[in-house]
Amino acid sequence: MFKILDVKQLSKEIKSMKVSAPEIAKKAKPGQFIVLRIDEKGERIPLTINDFDPKTGSITIIFQEVGKTTKKLGMLKKGDFLIDVAGPLGHPGRVEKIGTVVCIGGGVGAAVIYPEARALKETGNEVLSIIGARSRHMVILEDQMRKISDELYITTDDGSYGRIGVVTDPLKEILTKRKIDLVIAIGPIIMMKFVCLMTKEFNIPTIVNLNPIMVDATGMCGSCRVTVGNEIKFACVDGPEFDGHLVDFDELTNRNARFLEEEKESCRCKKDF
Ligand SMILES: Cc1cc2nc3c(=O)[nH]c(=O)nc-3n(C[C@H](O)[C@H](O)[C@H](O)COP(=O)(O)OP(=O)(O)OC[C@H]3O[C@@H](n4cnc5c(N)ncnc54)[C@H](O)[C@@H]3O)c2cc1C
Ligand code: FES
């Protein structure tokens, strides 16, 4: 059993949760994730390790309440327990001296990119960050991202905070004016796809962090299959980070929609809450 040490509301739909998981905190690296189950009947869901502290034996996850399991997770309080937390899983992100790196986080993707952006800064890179959100109330981790970034750009779809527009607007300006060595983009599939289309034009290497539906997260079930450069990969064991210029985003979009009816139905099923 894994004790919940703290819960914070970051925005209307997004919460951070600190969980006691000493073995995971000891081994975790930026870019890795865990798979958790809330209770015996719960489904397994993957969430990125946003922060980890080997001294206190704790890890922090940040999640958006989008469906049944994340909504049930959001109902838990400090002192409650999770039945399973497995990890750290997946390959760590590329943390080395690269030069100037643009780190893009869309929506809850800001939580996923933060540990990697921080590690890149600590390794001596210049970090230019872009956070994109639908609206002001969806912008998360602004202070943390500002602290570890040489420059921070914020965009909102409705213009309620930062500049109106999408993350590719400041990205285009940066790529036009500056020499950039690497772009890392994490967020909705559509955002990662358009970032990659733009960086391909500018010939800038680009890493994306894919979010296919995962079940076992051990490479056995095939649920997280993605096509990268015409090769079949399993995001849980081969990723979750991949060369964005090689990813078949349209296939990923279609595969992620394959349980939409069941997901809607399980959210309607009030007895489960
Ligand atoms: C490696 C990885 C890291 C992730 N990190 C984060 C994170 O840090 N914060 C965060 O908010 N979200 C993260 N996600 C997405 C998160 O796993 C889903 O939002 C969650 O599983 C939704 O479950 P649900 O029951 O609440 O919603 P549902 O209603 O069941 O599904 C809503 C949508 O979530 C996705 N989803 C559903 N089940 C899964 C599953 N088992 N695996 C992956 N995606 C699923 C599908 O696209 C689905 O359409 C990550 C996904 C992956 C693959
Ligand atoms: S989640 Fe089963 S193979 Fe990746």
Side-chain angles (χ1 to χ4, degrees), residues 183 185-197 199-200 205-212 224-235 238-256:
V183 172
I186 306 180
I189 299 171
I190 186 85
M191 181 206 93
M192 294 191 283
K193 175 179 171 174
F194 278 96
V195 164
C196 290
L197 287 173
T199 56
K200 205 165 186 179
T206 302
I207 289 172
V208 291
N209 188 305
L210 299 185
N211 56 346
C224 68
R225 170 166 63 78
V226 288
T227 305
V228 183
N230 294 323
E231 281 181 47
I232 300 291
K233 299 279 179 192
F234 297 105
D238 298 322
E241 294 200 341
F242 293 100
D243 178 342
H245 294 161
L246 301 179
V247 170
D248 184 339
F249 288 105
D250 296 336
E251 180 194 59
L252 177 59
T253 304
N254 290 334
R255 280 182 61 74
N256 265 16

Side-chain angles (χ1 to χ4, degrees), residues 27-28 39 41-42 58 96 101 112 121 149 152 171 189 223:
K27 295 183 201 143
D39 51 42
K41 290 191 181 156
S58 65
E96 57 188 280
V101 184
V112 182
K121 182 68 193 159
S149 304
L152 175 68
L171 177 64
I189 299 171
S223 173

Side-chain angles (χ1 to χ4, degrees), residues 78-263:
K78 182 176 169 176
D80 289 341
F81 289 86
L82 301 172
I83 193 165
D84 291 326
V85 181
L89 299 166
H91 290 288
R94 186 177 158 198
V95 178
E96 57 188 280
K97 187 81 194 288
I98 297 163
T100 303
V101 184
V102 178
C103 293
I104 305 173
V108 76
V112 182
I113 204 150
Y114 169 69
E116 216 164 321
R118 185 180 60 184
L120 283 164
K121 182 68 193 159
E122 285 166 3
T123 316
N125 294 286
E126 183 182 27
V127 174
L128 313 181
S129 299
I130 306 174
I131 302 179
R134 286 205 304 272
S135 187
R136 180 185 192 117
H137 73 275
M138 300 288 289
V139 175
I140 57 165
L141 301 188
E142 178 182 350
D143 292 345
Q144 290 91 326
M145 286 296 281
R146 199 175 291 288
K147 231 182 193 171
I148 54 97
S149 304
D150 293 277
E151 291 171 23
L152 175 68
Y153 302 79
I154 297 176
T155 64
T156 48
D157 296 357
D158 62 4
S160 53
Y161 194 57
R163 55 189 279 182
I164 187 167
V166 289
V167 296
T168 43
D169 300 334
L171 177 64
K172 188 166 191 180
E173 288 169 15
I174 293 169
L175 297 181
T176 309
K177 285 194 229 140
R178 313 266 306 256
K179 180 187 165 297
I180 299 300
D181 298 293
L182 180 70
V183 172
I184 307 177
I186 306 180
I189 299 171
I190 186 85
M191 181 206 93
M192 294 191 283
K193 175 179 171 174
F194 278 96
V195 164
C196 290
L197 287 173
M198 183 174 283
T199 56
K200 205 165 186 179
E201 264 179 49
F202 286 84
N203 202 20
I204 311 292
T206 302
I207 289 172
V208 291
N209 188 305
L210 299 185
N211 56 346
I213 295 178
M214 293 187 178
V215 180
D216 66 341
T218 65
M220 303 278 282
C221 72
S223 173
C224 68
R225 170 166 63 78
V226 288
T227 305
V228 183
N230 294 323
E231 281 181 47
I232 300 291
K233 299 279 179 192
F234 297 105
C236 63
V237 287
D238 298 322
E241 294 200 341
F242 293 100
D243 178 342
H245 294 161
L246 301 179
V247 170
D248 184 339
F249 288 105
D250 296 336
E251 180 194 59
L252 177 59
T253 304
N254 290 334
R255 280 182 61 74
N256 265 16
R258 67 197 194 277
F259 300 119
L260 277 185
E261 274 314 307
E262 289 84 350
E263 286 156 4

